[in-house]
Amino acid sequence: MDKIVINGKRRLSGEISVQGAKNSVLPILVATLLVNGVSVIHNCPCLSDVDATVKILEYLGCTVKREGHTVIIDSSDVNRFDVPDNLMREMRSSIVFLGGILGRMGKAELSAPGGCEIGLRPIDLHLTAMEQFGATIDSSGGAVLCNASEGLHGAHINLSFPSVGATENIILAAVLAEGTTTITNAAREPEICDLADFLNRCGAKIHGAGDGTVTVEGVKKLHGTEHTVIPDRIVASTYMIAAAMTGGRLCLKDVIPSHIGPVFSPLREAGCDITVSGRWICLEAPRRLRRIKMIRTMPYPGFPTDVQAQIMALTTVAEGTSVIVENIFESRFKHIGEFLRFGAKISAEGRMAVVEGVKELHPAFVKATDLRGGIAMVLEGLCAEGETTVSDIYHIDRGYEEPENVFSFLGADVKRMTDNERKEVKPEEIILS
Ligand code: UD1
């Protein structure tokens, strides 16, 4: 299994553009199932979650071609409605196939997605919504069988929580359903808007994406189109935090600053100078970061749960005591145990963590616990003098495209090592016991 090895204490500096958004591209790829014809998706990041999604599309009967960051999907011959267990397990968010397959085929059979590294991921909101469209659900045999033999009809669906995945599934099921669907308390994340933009280009009639209320007027069919995925706001935030933690200076080009806005205010509170101009963001870090009094993760436009681990990494080296409350997932503090190995001072109870910043971190040998927790460990390593190793980086590869190259480009000493690559040991490093 690959590892990332970091020689820390180098200041990051430079200009980068940011990969396409993982959380946009996955539902958009699923949405191509609803199209009669060819979809061309640009700015598609090379990630293991994208590979897993493509495998499922191919299993369902799509022909998929990849040319660099462009994916071309011909969905003319979709002929299956089931996703087998091994493919479901490859990607945590595969539940979003439910609305896509049901909308295209009138029925869907998915093995039940299990828990994941950041806690249980219940799908009650997804299933109740599909029932409101007129589908029947049978989840007795470990798989979810969803059947809409009479076709799907528009519904008024009020979400008790603005779930991103449930909002996406409802939109996917609604675009070809008979009549109009209204979603209230819908998720407002930029990735929902990107999905709606793609579908509208294909001929769907979706209004209000990005607001709490989304209306979808069902249409008879969708045609193929070209679409460019939005830049990844979580990856952008991660690199900004990395620059902040190393006392660096970073400019991000071709990003959508408003999407990253929720992360600006804690970074400014920590003493970073952030300037925005058009599609550029520049960050200049202070000599020593200050504490961030309180961070609460919230649905968009609140502070993203997907940046919680990275901002916690920042607070471990900031002056003073910071408090972080995780409101979205019940078990998203697994990285804390690994942070402690760097000498971080953190105590946590339930959904709250109290971080007392230290002046210096020391290098450590740590294991990525999940995608965002894993990259946050790399950030810790960037701040620690000496060699840090982060193992189990398959988690990181789900969402970050070649992070070792991005960090190296910015001046860090970060390498990927495969199991076959034995580290060269210099004679002076051999300690005889
Ligand atoms: C998406 C993102 C993920 C992000 C999360 C929250 C993708 C591929 N993933 O995940 O990176 O961390 O949004 O911004 O876009 N819930 C229920 N019942 C349900 C559905 C959700 O109780 O039927 C709960 C979940 O357990 C969780 C909360 O709602 O506590 C948020 O989940 P949700 O917004 O659905 O996240 P995902 O779509 O899974």
Side-chain angles (χ1 to χ4, degrees):
M1 242 181 282
D2 289 6
K3 298 177 174 66
I4 285 181
V5 180
I6 308 134
N7 256 299
K9 274 288 181 209
R10 284 172 172 78
R11 182 175 177 267
L12 297 192
S13 163
E15 260 174 43
I16 50 169
S17 44
V18 173
Q19 69 186 61
K22 168 180 89 78
N23 288 355
S24 269
V25 81
L26 301 181
I28 289 173
L29 287 174
V30 174
T32 65
L33 282 173
L34 300 168
V35 172
N36 262 315
V38 177
S39 309
V40 181
I41 312 297
H42 300 293
N43 201 26
C44 181
C46 297
L47 302 170
S48 56
D49 267 10
V50 171
D51 301 341
T53 307
V54 165
K55 263 196 223 167
I56 299 177
L57 290 175
E58 287 174 334
Y59 176 84
L60 294 169
C62 299
T63 307
V64 184
K65 251 202 317 198
R66 290 174 82 168
E67 291 170 2
H69 287 101
T70 295
V71 184
I72 303 152
I73 305 107
D74 185 346
S75 321
S76 312
D77 297 323
V78 174
N79 53 22
R80 299 194 71 113
F81 60 88
D82 61 310
V83 182
D85 191 53
N86 60 322
L87 293 180
M88 278 298 279
R89 278 177 197 277
E90 274 195 39
M91 195 185 56
R92 302 294 172 199
S93 43
S94 41
I95 186 64
V96 77
F97 271 96
L98 182 64
I101 298 177
L102 190 63
R104 172 73 186 246
M105 303 297 284
K107 57 181 167 178
E109 187 177 354
L110 272 60
S111 75
C116 78
E117 307 88 358
I118 56 174
L120 275 177
R121 280 196 162 172
I123 54 167
D124 52 315
L125 300 174
H126 303 246
L127 298 184
T128 311
M130 296 307 130
E131 283 177 330
Q132 286 179 267
F133 280 113
T136 56
I137 310 274
D138 177 1
S139 51
S140 49
V144 176
L145 180 58
C146 207
N147 201 336
S149 45
E150 314 267 294
L152 296 169
H153 53 77
H156 182 145
I157 298 167
N158 179 48
L159 289 173
S160 55
F161 179 86
S163 155
V164 175
T167 303
E168 289 165 349
N169 254 331
I170 296 167
I171 291 175
L172 290 169
V175 283
L176 295 177
E178 177 102 36
T180 300
T181 296
T182 312
I183 316 167
T184 48
N185 199 26
R188 296 158 65 191
E189 271 68 2
E191 294 77 18
I192 303 282
C193 302
D194 207 20
L195 172 65
D197 279 352
F198 166 73
L199 285 164
N200 283 341
R201 277 167 202 262
C202 298
K205 291 193 175 157
I206 305 166
H207 311 279
D211 297 335
T213 302
V214 179
T215 310
V216 186
E217 285 172 60
V219 295
K220 289 261 180 289
K221 64 189 249 186
L222 298 181
H223 53 76
T225 193
E226 285 196 35
H227 180 80
T228 301
V229 173
I230 57 171
D232 196 310
R233 65 195 167 99
I234 307 301
V235 170
S237 306
T238 303
Y239 289 127
M240 287 174 74
I241 292 171
M245 288 174 70
T246 60
R249 183 174 192 282
L250 175 69
C251 288
L252 302 174
K253 54 186 170 188
D254 242 343
V255 285
I256 304 174
S258 59
H259 292 174
I260 305 158
V263 177
F264 290 172
S265 83
L267 282 174
R268 285 186 170 129
E269 190 182 339
C272 297
D273 183 34
I274 298 172
T275 48
V276 175
S277 163
R279 286 175 71 97
W280 282 81
I281 302 172
C282 288
L283 174 141
E284 177 111 40
R287 282 165 70 90
R288 173 93 203 263
L289 292 161
R290 295 192 297 264
R291 70 160 184 169
I292 304 168
K293 210 165 154 196
M294 168 77 82
I295 297 163
R296 292 187 180 88
T297 63
M298 303 286 267
Y300 189 84
F303 187 89
T305 174
D306 285 352
V307 187
Q308 179 256 109
Q310 301 90 312
I311 204 81
M312 185 184 290
L314 181 149
T315 60
T316 63
V317 290
E319 188 163 18
T321 303
S322 308
V323 176
I324 297 175
V325 180
E326 172 55 56
N327 285 311
I328 307 294
F329 289 103
E330 98 278 10
S331 173
R332 206 171 193 177
F333 279 156
K334 297 224 166 87
H335 44 274
I336 292 179
E338 303 298 295
F339 283 7
L340 299 180
R341 295 172 188 260
F342 290 96
K345 288 194 179 160
I346 309 169
S347 55
E349 206 179 308
R351 288 172 180 263
M352 185 189 288
V354 179
V355 186
E356 199 189 311
V358 295
K359 229 173 167 169
E360 297 289 340
L361 294 175
H362 49 75
F365 194 100
V366 291
K367 239 184 199 185
T369 46
D370 59 274
L371 165 56
R372 309 301 171 184
I375 198 76
M377 288 166 210
V378 175
L379 304 189
E380 294 286 69
L382 290 172
C383 278
E385 177 125 41
E387 186 176 286
T388 287
T389 302
V390 182
S391 66
D392 288 16
I393 60 164
Y394 61 90
H395 289 294
I396 298 177
D397 291 333
R398 289 184 40 227
Y400 291 84
E401 196 178 73
E402 299 182 351
E404 67 281 13
N405 292 341
V406 178
F407 286 125
S408 300
F409 176 78
L410 292 173
D413 181 350
V414 178
K415 292 188 190 70
R416 175 181 294 257
M417 276 178 57
T418 59
D419 267 353
N420 308 334
E421 279 172 319
R422 283 186 167 266
K423 215 187 125 219
E424 198 185 306
V425 182
K426 296 185 196 124
E428 63 269 26
E429 286 176 357
I430 300 172
I431 301 166
L432 297 172
S433 55

